[in-house]
Structures are given as C-alpha cells and as structure tokens.
Amino acid sequence: MSSPTAGLLVPLDMFRISQFAAMFSELLASKARNILDAELVVTRHPEAPLFLMQITGSVIDGNPATFWRENVDLAQMASRALPRQVIMFYADPGETPADRREGFIVAQQGQMIAGDDVGTDRMPADAPDSDWPLAKLCQQLRLPREDLETSFADGPQVSVKLMEPSAADDQALLQELFAKEMAAQAAAEAGEGPEGVTGAPPPASVGADAGPGAPAAAPAPKKPSAAEIAAEDAKRRAREQAEEAAAAAARAAEIQSGLRSSQDDLGIIVAPDAELSEPDQLRPFIVGALKGDVPEGISRELNKTLQGKRIDVAVKVDFLSEVFIESTPLSKPQFLEISTERELGGKKVRIAEVLGPRLGYGSLISTGSAPHVFVSRKPDMPLPEGLIVELLG
C-alpha cells in the first residue's frame, strides 16, 4: 500500500445518490468544512455486490484515511438511510512504518456495532499485512486487498458535487452504474445471444427424417412477469429470514444452557458464552429493573428474589477497539488516559467507562493484556469481582 485509502462500503441496494450527497454536504458544512470542490464518488465493484463511496476535494486535506477516521458520523448517517450494514474503512501507511494505522467501523441503523482501529501501539510495524484490520476485513468480504486499495478500479463510477446535489439525475447515474446489466437485458429481450447473433433456432435440416410428421421445435420458455419475479423474491427473502431466525434461536439456546452468574445487592450478573459482536443475544440479559420473569437461562427460582433489581452481563473482550468512546473505537492510549487503577479480587486492573455497541454504557476492566472484560454496569457501581477475575483468566 503506497498511499492512504479509505471509504464507505455499501451493499448493492437501490438508493438515491443525490440524497447521500445532500446528507454528507449538510453534515460537513455544519462542521465548517470547505466543500466547495468536494464530490461524492460512487464506484460499483465489477463482480461483488458492493458500492464504494468516497469523497474527493480539498475537504479531505490530502489524506482520505484521516478524513474518514475523524468523520465516522458519515457512516452512522449513511447507515440510517439503508436497510443493511455499511462499513467505513481506512488505511494509512504513514510517513514511516511506525506511523501506520488501519481500521474499520460497521454501522447499522445509526449505531456503531463493531470496529477495529490498529496502530503500531498495538501492532509491530513489521507485522505481516495479513495481521492488520484491512486484510481481515477483506477476508470477511471475500475481496482481494487490492480492490480496496485501487478503489474498485475496474468498476463503473459516477460522481455528484456536494454543493449541487439537487442537480444530479439519480436515474441516469444508476443507469451508468448498471449499464452492463441493462445492455445484457436489452440484448436478451431482443433475442440476441452473447455474440449479438439472434437466438432464434436454426431451420430444420432437410433430410430423410424431416417431413410432415416431424415434431415441432419446442417453444421458447416463457419469460417470468414482474409480478412472478417479485413473488419469487419475496419467497426467497422469507426463506432467508426463517433460516436466520432459526440460527439465532439455536445460538440463544446454546448461550442460555451454561450461564455463569454472581448475585449482589443490586441483582445478578451473568456471563454468557457470547461476544460483544452478538448484541441481539446479550441484550435480553441487560435489565434495569426486572418486572415479571427472568430471562431464559436464569433459574426461575430467582423470579421473586430479583423483582425490581438489575440484571447485567459480563463479557470477555479480545480487543479494546470492540468498545467505544462516544463514536470512536477505544485505543490503548485513550484507555490509559481515561481509566483508573483499582484492585479486584487480588488483581490490579484498570477500569474505564465505555460504550458497548448496541448495549449501552458500562465498564471495561483490563489487566493490560487480553482478555479484557466488559460489564454492563458503570465503574461507580458494585462490580462482580470473583466473576470478573475468572473471566480475566
């Protein structure tokens, strides 16, 4: 990687490009950023179902990686306008290997749900590329790293000025991004094959078997109507949703089957065998004041005892960047700056208030090396010392 690269990866859904340009324009203008020459550039990957959004112009000050890392709220805003997750990434080789920094943020419905931010404070400068966040992100997306570094170089691309988003013709822009598919569809409707030769069947050969009694050629298959395509798509989506729901239910049952727990005057803290990246599985175990039955996995015998009390979770955390300070993944320097030293269960630890993505504020407890522990109680509240020490290992 010879120069900084960054951008916003968006799933291949239909959207108005001018709407995103207007949103980004308003947000950057509110920060008094110079967007006079800024443009939103959208590139479609030639094969994968992804768009890449980038911003060009003097507003990025020559370093797109720093620009996107400092403006993660652009990803949050974009995720509110799309039904699926968006991924903001950045990679900066730095002036020297010691200045290298890479990271990414995953956002959905306006919330940061995952992320990683790595500099040489966490990774040796001579570590292989495969250990850095961009390589791991590409592995998950099943993309070559070069695709991100070259900004989908072989894909169709359009741009919109941030100062004049209303002047953009969204339909024309999308047609340009999907020109290849539209041309193929037009050729198919005209009965042309891939080489431009008509797809009509060749005339029957004249021979001994060709005669009045010869069977007629099979009719061309009927093209499905728009309604039929929509119905099939609805069935596919329903099937996918059912499969996802079944997988989530199986995972929930697995987590509920072996909960470790600790009780105190405030309530109960459970330690599910889950990760922070599974907020949907963890949220049922975070209750401010119990009314009714305890969550599945906690003994029903505690229903009466826990009425009106808290239920919290304690979860192992492998990387500091899995939690956030406001909208920024936590880094080691930040943690050392905001944390306080304390002794828990005979261990010296550091504790800081952090944000668990889609879980709320809580405490991050660390001995200085992984694993760390996130507890859904703030540092000024009683913490389950024995359970935390057990999780810290």
Side-chain angles (χ1 to χ4, degrees):
M1 182 177 62
S2 57
S3 60
T5 183
L8 190 66
L9 296 170
V10 176
L12 201 66
D13 289 312
M14 289 296 124
F15 58 86
R16 291 173 53 207
I17 297 174
S18 63
Q19 178 188 17
F20 281 86
M23 289 192 300
F24 293 162
S25 171
E26 182 177 351
L27 181 58
L28 292 173
S30 71
K31 298 180 179 183
R33 303 295 295 266
N34 175 19
I35 59 171
L36 291 176
D37 63 343
E39 292 188 356
L40 172 62
V41 179
V42 180
T43 309
R44 183 186 166 194
H45 193 280
E47 297 175 357
L50 287 172
F51 289 116
L52 171 62
M53 291 187 181
Q54 295 176 304
I55 292 176
T56 62
S58 56
V59 69
I60 67 170
D61 197 24
N63 192 320
T66 299
F67 170 81
W68 282 96
R69 182 169 55 82
E70 294 178 349
N71 292 277
V72 294
D73 43 1
L74 293 174
Q76 286 179 287
M77 178 178 288
S79 71
R80 293 192 188 102
L82 291 164
R84 292 187 282 172
Q85 296 176 354
V86 301
I87 302 171
M88 186 270 288
F89 71 93
Y90 51 88
D92 186 353
E95 294 184 4
T96 68
D99 300 322
R100 182 174 181 177
R101 189 164 186 175
E102 293 185 11
F104 63 88
I105 297 289
V106 182
Q108 186 171 23
Q109 298 177 355
Q111 298 289 325
M112 300 298 183
I113 62 174
D116 199 4
D117 179 71
V118 175
T120 51
D121 58 326
R122 280 183 51 196
M123 186 82 70
D126 58 353
D129 284 347
S130 58
D131 290 346
W132 289 77
L134 197 63
K136 294 178 181 178
L137 176 62
C138 289
Q139 184 178 17
Q140 293 176 2
L141 296 174
R142 298 178 183 175
L143 290 177
R145 182 187 176 103
E146 293 75 18
D147 285 5
L148 297 188
E149 293 177 348
T150 60
S151 302
F152 298 174
D154 297 328
Q157 185 179 94
V158 297
S159 63
V160 175
K161 293 183 180 297
L162 294 194
M163 288 293 291
E164 303 172 2
S166 59
D169 184 339
D170 287 299
Q171 184 174 356
L173 293 172
L174 288 172
Q175 285 177 342
E176 189 169 345
L177 288 172
F178 288 91
K180 182 178 179 181
E181 285 71 18
M182 293 177 67
Q185 182 179 359
E189 290 176 352
E192 295 184 352
E195 301 299 327
V197 180
T198 59
S205 59
V206 179
D209 294 331
K222 181 183 176 182
K223 290 177 59 180
S225 65
E228 290 171 332
I229 294 174
E232 284 299 319
D233 186 59
K235 289 180 183 178
R236 177 184 59 78
R237 290 177 183 272
R239 184 172 61 253
E240 290 175 351
Q241 289 173 357
E243 291 172 353
E244 290 175 1
R251 177 65 177 139
E254 179 185 2
I255 291 171
Q256 295 160 8
S257 64
L259 290 177
R260 290 170 285 179
S261 65
S262 175
Q263 286 183 253
D264 59 18
D265 292 341
L266 290 185
I268 188 171
I269 307 95
V270 297
D273 188 12
E275 300 179 357
L276 279 186
S277 59
E278 300 177 288
D280 292 340
Q281 301 291 354
L282 295 173
R283 275 199 304 267
F285 298 109
I286 302 177
V287 181
L290 181 65
K291 295 180 181 178
D293 291 340
V294 295
E296 291 291 335
I298 299 177
S299 173
R300 289 288 187 268
E301 296 177 358
L302 297 175
N303 272 341
K304 186 176 179 180
T305 304
L306 294 175
Q307 289 306 304
K309 294 189 175 183
R310 295 179 60 92
I311 300 177
D312 291 284
V313 295
V315 187
K316 283 185 179 182
V317 176
D318 290 327
F319 301 104
L320 295 177
S321 56
E322 291 182 55
V323 297
F324 289 74
I325 298 297
E326 298 306 329
S327 59
T328 305
L330 180 65
S331 65
K332 186 174 182 179
Q334 280 180 314
F335 180 67
L336 293 175
E337 179 182 349
I338 67 173
S339 62
T340 57
E341 196 170 66
R342 194 186 299 185
E343 186 170 308
L344 284 182
K347 281 197 174 189
K348 287 187 178 181
V349 299
R350 298 192 71 88
I351 300 177
E353 182 176 327
V354 297
L355 176 64
R358 296 175 63 188
L359 295 176
Y361 287 93
S363 302
L364 186 74
I365 302 99
S366 174
T367 59
S369 60
H372 321 287
V373 174
F374 172 83
V375 181
S376 59
R377 289 183 178 182
K378 294 187 177 182
D380 58 354
M381 303 173 71
L383 298 173
E385 296 191 13
L387 190 58
I388 290 173
V389 169
E390 181 184 346
L391 292 174
L392 287 172

